[in-house]
Amino acid sequence: FNDTYLYNGKEQQYDGYCTDIFFDQAMAWMNAGQQDQPFFAYIPLNAAHWPWFVPEKYREQVRSDAAAHPEVLEHLPQAKREALISFLAMGANIDENLGPLDQFLADSGLRDNTIVVFLTDNGSTMGPDYYNAGMRGKKTTLWEGGHRVPCFIRWPGGDLGSPREIDELAHVQDLLPTLADLAGVDAVPANLDGESLTPIFRGERDALDD
């Protein structure tokens, strides 16, 4: 809260909560003359992560929601319960910031021709304590619970087909060749570890090469 961040290499004080600031600054940058040229905006967050700093109003909402589902928290010791509440509260705050970002893209006329990617960096530290979707393990482990993450890709004007789930195994290293392919960028090294997912998105192939 009310922290100091590096802005163009210089320390600058900001008022507010970190996640809110990162989204606000990203939208301000995109709004500052970026609409008339291609741009890349990367919004990496330090939430949801320890230390569990988050505005109290989000914890209050999680506690209220959990009251209707006591099985989520009742089996946990008090310290773990409070940590999980804060963890989920951070997720609620992230979710709340995605709405204004999407509205900004729509209001700016950017939504249809902007590729939006949402993903996380690793499996949850908290998943096994409340819901792990049947997966074994968590962050730092090699089981699916440690490395399987959500990845949503949207481009309304990009001929990606109807919204759907794709089960093909992919990796974060596939994003660079995929984004370059979608954007028509040719100057990309041929020996990248990743592989473009574009043919799968557009129904040209069912799976990646072995």
Side-chain angles (χ1 to χ4, degrees):
F1 297 89
N2 303 332
D3 211 339
T4 299
Y5 306 103
L6 288 177
Y7 182 87
N8 289 337
K10 296 181 179 180
E11 293 183 354
Q12 185 166 320
Q13 179 85 33
Y14 289 87
D15 294 329
Y17 180 56
C18 53
T19 303
D20 299 336
I21 292 169
F22 298 153
F23 272 90
D24 289 345
Q25 287 296 307
M27 287 185 283
W29 177 81
M30 285 185 277
N31 196 43
Q34 305 300 328
Q35 296 96 324
D36 60 349
Q37 59 183 329
F39 66 87
F40 177 81
Y42 174 47
I43 312 176
L45 306 174
N46 54 342
H49 200 284
W50 185 90
W52 311 118
F53 298 151
V54 63
E56 185 61 29
K57 68 176 183 178
Y58 297 101
R59 290 194 186 95
E60 292 172 355
Q61 183 61 54
V62 171
R63 289 192 179 97
S64 175
D65 293 341
H69 298 278
E71 70 278 4
V72 175
L73 298 175
E74 63 185 2
H75 65 288
L76 298 175
Q78 185 62 27
K80 193 75 170 181
R81 187 179 305 178
E82 288 303 311
L84 177 56
I85 288 172
S86 294
F87 177 81
L88 296 175
M90 286 179 166
N93 170 259
I94 294 170
D95 183 60
E96 187 175 274
N97 274 284
L98 286 169
L101 174 62
D102 189 59
Q103 190 62 53
F104 163 78
L105 293 174
D107 293 343
S108 302
L110 296 170
R111 188 179 187 273
D112 286 350
N113 200 31
T114 296
I115 304 168
V116 175
V117 180
F118 177 90
L119 77 160
T120 64
D121 58 346
N122 47 243
S124 173
T125 56
M126 293 287 187
D129 292 322
Y130 72 106
Y131 178 73
N132 220 32
M135 296 183 294
R136 181 183 183 187
K138 58 181 181 179
K139 177 181 176 179
T140 75
T141 71
L142 298 179
W143 293 304
E144 196 168 39
H147 62 77
R148 184 174 179 177
V149 301
C151 181
F152 300 91
I153 299 178
R154 185 189 72 188
W155 187 15
D159 189 29
L160 301 186
S162 59
R164 64 202 185 279
E165 292 185 9
I166 297 176
D167 293 330
E168 177 69 6
L169 185 65
H171 190 272
V172 66
Q173 291 169 328
D174 296 323
L175 285 180
L176 174 56
T178 299
L179 292 174
D181 195 3
L182 291 173
V185 177
D186 297 325
V188 177
N191 60 344
L192 292 174
D193 289 334
E195 184 175 349
S196 175
L197 304 174
T198 302
I200 293 179
F201 294 160
R202 291 183 170 156
E204 299 165 4
R205 289 164 55 189
D206 294 327
L208 298 174
D209 293 335
D210 294 333

